Amino acid sequence: MAEFHIAPYGSEYFEGVKTLWQEAFPDDPPWNKAEVAVPAKFAVQPELFLVALDGDVAIGSIMAGYDGHRGWLYALAVLNSRRRQGVGAALVREAEERLRSMGCSKINLQVRATNAIVIEFYKRLGYTIEERTSMGKRVASLPQASP
């Protein structure tokens, strides 16, 4: 198993993260595509956008956020060829530590109910299913990606 390290996202990793997300999230809606989501996240709490690197190649990424009350994990992705090698768990642990250092006492995340493999992954990391209804509302039109 090749070594990797975790670093804050930098724009030099954009193409790698874009490729990673295309593999991990092939059916995501346009507003979740890297061209839209990466610049938006990089503008707000960029220290909570992490990449796992093998040399200078992005093999995993995670985004987190903290609103002063709860922390959230988003868009954990690991290249298929690097799964089951500790990359995802290391990214989650580093995001948790960064949230904890900001004063966060509880972290939430969402997983599609049909994604049993990911649900089991998070259970192994200590997350539990909470009986909630997830609701959402789009309040802005889709931003245009930069050329």
Side-chain angles (χ1 to χ4, degrees):
M1 171 171 55
E3 294 295 317
F4 63 90
H5 69 279
I6 296 174
Y9 171 83
S11 59
E12 66 272 26
Y13 304 123
F14 177 78
E15 288 302 321
V17 169
K18 178 180 173 183
T19 299
L20 168 67
W21 285 13
Q22 288 170 335
E23 179 181 285
F25 313 121
D27 300 321
D28 257 6
W31 53 84
N32 284 349
K33 299 296 183 193
E35 294 85 352
V36 176
V38 168
K41 178 59 191 165
F42 199 53
V44 179
Q45 296 179 320
E47 70 278 11
L48 295 178
F49 186 7
L50 306 171
V51 291
L53 300 167
D54 183 349
D56 61 355
V57 176
I59 61 169
S61 68
I62 191 169
M63 293 192 299
Y66 181 55
D67 62 12
H69 182 63
R70 295 284 187 255
W72 283 86
L73 299 181
Y74 306 90
L76 172 63
V78 176
L79 285 176
N80 288 338
S81 63
R82 296 303 298 268
R83 289 189 178 165
R84 305 193 73 75
Q85 297 176 23
V87 177
L91 283 162
V92 170
R93 283 192 298 272
E94 180 63 23
E96 289 172 342
E97 184 53 40
R98 288 175 183 237
L99 290 166
R100 191 176 302 110
S101 74
M102 297 172 83
C104 179
S105 61
K106 180 164 188 290
I107 299 171
N108 296 321
L109 58 89
Q110 295 178 321
V111 177
R112 290 188 177 107
T114 58
N115 199 338
I117 291 170
V118 171
I119 291 168
E120 289 305 312
F121 166 81
Y122 281 112
K123 283 182 175 180
R124 286 192 304 274
L125 295 177
Y127 289 82
T128 59
I129 295 173
E130 298 177 332
E131 293 302 318
R132 307 281 190 273
T133 298
S134 177
M135 299 176 73
K137 178 181 179 181
R138 297 223 49 87
V139 296
S141 60
L142 179 63
Q144 298 300 311
S146 301

